[in-house]
Amino acid sequence: MIVPVLNESEQIESVLQQLQVFRQAGHEVILIDGGSTDHTVALAQPYVDVLIESERGRASQMNAGAEIALGDLLLFQHVDTRLPPDALEQLDGLQGKSLWGRFDVRLSSGHWMFPVIAQMMNWRSRLTGIATGDQSIFVSRDLFKKIGGIPPQPLMEDIALSTCLKKIVAPVCLKAAVTTSSRRWQKKGVWRTIFLMWAMRLAYAFGVSAHYLADIYYPSNRSR
């Protein structure tokens, strides 16, 4: 279980409490902090097996976690996504196999369009073989090493990872659904977020640099 974080003190304890069932079953929970300036690290310490710091950015953080993980199946878990109750059983059934995949996704409540958006995300993923980080991507260690890890880019790292993996084998698409927070949709506006995400995905598919797109998606980072 590899969890990249940055300034998540408000929810980090509740997130990690849910993952204690994995630790109780003998699995690792590894937290990679990207330089939090709040109390994330201190609050997370009691709930993880390993806590390290790395260069900021999900790709860099997840690669750092995968580098030290001991298990043969790596699960990359976003802090704003909750696994289904039977996640442990489903993942245990995949141990020892050379594969990768993801869960279906649902969005937390708040707008009548969210179930439609989630269903479209799941259909698109099955059709294209591309998974998003919100779907809790998992991959066997051997496949992860074979592709050289996650491409080091500041955005669309989940698409880049999926693209590399599906060239080797099609993803396992679990129907059990994770629940991901709709906070970004509510913060930026549902329709505006739909348009922005589709436009950026289309631009990326046509070769626009992930670094250029990251400047658009994270305008506050431009001066860094």
Side-chain angles (χ1 to χ4, degrees):
M1 181 76 66
I2 297 169
V3 188
V5 297
L6 178 66
N7 293 329
E8 294 286 358
S9 60
E10 290 186 6
Q11 62 173 340
I12 193 62
E13 287 184 289
S14 63
V15 170
L16 294 178
Q17 284 170 359
Q18 185 217 20
L19 303 183
Q20 296 311 293
V21 63
F22 285 85
R23 299 181 73 196
Q24 293 163 6
H27 303 295
E28 285 183 306
V29 175
I30 300 173
L31 187 138
I32 311 91
D33 184 72
S36 294
T37 55
D38 60 8
H39 300 293
T40 296
V41 171
L43 293 172
Q45 191 74 61
Y47 300 102
V48 299
D49 297 289
V50 182
L51 195 159
I52 61 173
E53 291 191 12
S54 80
E55 179 184 352
R56 180 177 300 187
R58 276 181 174 156
S60 297
Q61 290 172 246
M62 292 190 291
N63 279 332
E67 182 68 26
I68 62 172
L70 300 178
D72 63 357
L73 185 68
L74 311 175
L75 173 65
F76 298 104
Q77 184 67 18
H78 288 186
V79 295
D80 53 2
T81 297
R82 302 293 186 271
L83 290 163
D86 63 342
L88 179 58
E89 290 78 8
Q90 296 213 32
L91 293 170
D92 272 344
L94 303 175
Q95 294 283 343
K97 300 177 182 178
S98 182
L99 50 72
W100 75 283
R102 89 308 182 266
F103 291 84
D104 268 1
V105 68
R106 67 167 61 94
L107 297 175
S108 59
S109 61
H111 194 280
W112 67 268
M113 270 294 292
F114 289 162
V116 178
I117 294 169
Q119 188 61 64
M120 291 179 65
M121 290 170 65
N122 296 328
W123 283 345
R124 181 191 65 208
S125 178
R126 281 189 168 81
L127 179 64
T128 64
I130 297 294
T132 68
D134 291 331
Q135 294 174 301
S136 295
I137 297 174
F138 50 85
V139 56
S140 59
R141 172 183 294 280
D142 65 317
L143 283 184
F144 192 78
K145 287 186 175 181
K146 190 171 185 177
I147 65 168
I150 303 169
Q153 55 192 61
L155 196 68
M156 305 291 180
E157 74 287 337
D158 46 5
I159 297 178
L161 173 62
S162 298
T163 300
C164 292
L165 290 169
K166 77 171 188 172
K167 292 178 180 178
I168 302 175
V169 63
V172 174
C173 297
L174 298 178
K175 292 184 178 180
V178 299
T179 302
T180 194
S181 172
S182 58
R183 60 181 179 176
R184 66 180 174 185
W185 307 84
Q186 294 171 329
K187 180 179 180 180
K188 297 183 178 181
V190 174
W191 299 108
R192 180 175 180 273
T193 302
I194 291 174
F195 174 78
L196 177 62
M197 292 181 68
W198 277 96
M200 295 187 75
R201 284 179 179 274
L202 184 62
Y204 184 69
F206 277 95
V208 177
S209 165
H211 293 271
Y212 177 80
L213 294 174
D215 283 343
I216 297 174
Y217 195 74
Y218 301 115
S220 61
N221 290 348
R222 291 176 186 171
S223 61
R224 291 176 182 167

